[in-house]
Amino acid sequence: MAKSALLKSSIAKKVAMALSGIFLMLFLAQHFFINMTSVFSADTFNSISHFMGNNPLVQYVIQPILILGVIFHFIMGIVLELKNRSARPISYAKNNGAANSSWSSRNMIITGAVIFAFLGVHFYDFWFPEMVYKYVDVNPLNETRYFHELVAKFESPVRTALYSVSFILLSLHLWHGFNSSMQSVGFNNKYSVALHKLGYVFAIVVPFGFIFIALFHHFNH
């Protein structure tokens, strides 16, 4: 009974981790779509950003859920990693880990920690100034300010480089995380091969798409 309860607890944690990961990937895709519009049309980017920044459902429901989702995913990743390490009778130092798994799968906790730190910087760059603008300084609505604020963030080559490195690590994190999440929630059927390919495409297109956006605005500042 004890082993059965432990197994169920471990499976539940993995499913919770997977569901939070899928939720964050959906947000990432949506965030990528919005940011990509800034490359083609400043007006479109301003319009979408203004809607997202002033919609009560987004601001007071989805945004808090997103923040909690990020924190939950990070903490659950640490919990599962510590649990996995305690269950290994022999450490990877005595084995050829690369023979049985990819670098990204063996270092999810490292890439995850770096991404979490990057999110802190991202919040500092974009979210906190937005909160100060609206709720501290109580400035009047300005539907055209978002594009200029975005471009200004990528004027610095240092910040642009840090963003690019962070998204490369995100790509590595997603390379294993996408398919792992799908498998944990039961997507292991005749569509698995196609789903795995989609996961690899997502892990490349979205992070490197963000890098393209950052570089585009940096060199066209």
Side-chain angles (χ1 to χ4, degrees):
M1 290 294 292
K3 289 184 178 180
S4 176
L6 185 63
L7 179 60
K8 289 180 180 178
S9 175
S10 179
I11 292 174
K13 286 185 176 67
K14 288 182 179 179
V15 171
M17 178 73 171
L19 289 174
S20 64
I22 292 171
F23 169 71
L24 293 176
M25 284 187 285
L26 291 173
F27 163 75
L28 187 67
Q30 174 255 351
H31 195 50
F32 170 65
F33 170 77
I34 294 174
N35 281 17
M36 184 56 78
T37 63
S38 68
V39 172
F40 303 102
S41 171
D43 291 337
T44 301
F45 177 76
N46 281 330
S47 297
I48 297 176
S49 298
H50 178 73
F51 171 79
M52 297 295 289
N54 294 276
N55 184 286
L57 177 63
V58 174
Q59 291 298 300
Y60 304 121
V61 179
I62 298 178
Q63 188 168 258
I65 293 175
L66 173 64
I67 294 172
L68 290 174
V70 171
I71 296 173
F72 176 84
H73 190 74
F74 179 70
I75 293 175
M76 191 58 67
I78 294 176
V79 170
L80 288 173
E81 177 66 17
L82 293 175
K83 186 177 181 63
N84 289 337
R85 289 187 179 184
S86 65
R88 294 175 193 140
I90 303 175
S91 67
Y92 277 139
K94 299 178 183 178
N95 291 279
N96 183 12
N100 301 313
S101 59
S102 64
W103 184 92
S104 59
S105 66
R106 299 193 310 276
N107 293 278
M108 290 293 283
I109 193 68
I110 296 175
T111 55
V114 174
I115 293 165
F116 189 76
F118 159 73
L119 284 173
V121 175
H122 189 69
F123 270 67
Y124 175 79
D125 272 350
F126 292 97
W127 188 76
F128 284 111
E130 182 72 8
M131 295 300 102
V132 170
Y133 183 93
K134 291 192 296 187
Y135 303 119
V136 178
D137 296 338
V138 195
N139 290 304
L141 293 178
N142 181 357
E143 298 182 16
T144 63
R145 66 185 172 87
Y146 301 96
F147 178 79
H148 297 292
E149 290 176 356
L150 174 70
V151 173
K153 296 299 181 183
F154 295 116
E155 180 181 4
S156 167
V158 175
R159 180 182 279 109
T160 303
L162 288 175
Y163 267 66
S164 298
V165 171
S166 298
F167 277 112
I168 290 173
L169 290 173
L170 175 62
S171 178
L172 293 172
H173 194 78
L174 290 171
W175 187 263
H176 173 73
F178 186 102
N179 291 323
S180 177
S181 295
M182 295 302 174
Q183 187 173 359
S184 294
V185 297
F187 284 104
N188 192 14
N189 49 43
K190 63 180 180 179
Y191 302 108
S192 294
V193 175
L195 194 60
H196 284 185
K197 291 181 180 178
L198 174 63
Y200 296 139
V201 171
F202 186 90
I204 294 174
V205 172
V206 173
F208 281 90
F210 275 109
I211 293 174
F212 167 76
I213 294 168
L215 293 176
F216 177 87
H217 291 304
H218 174 70
F219 289 110
N220 289 278
H221 183 76

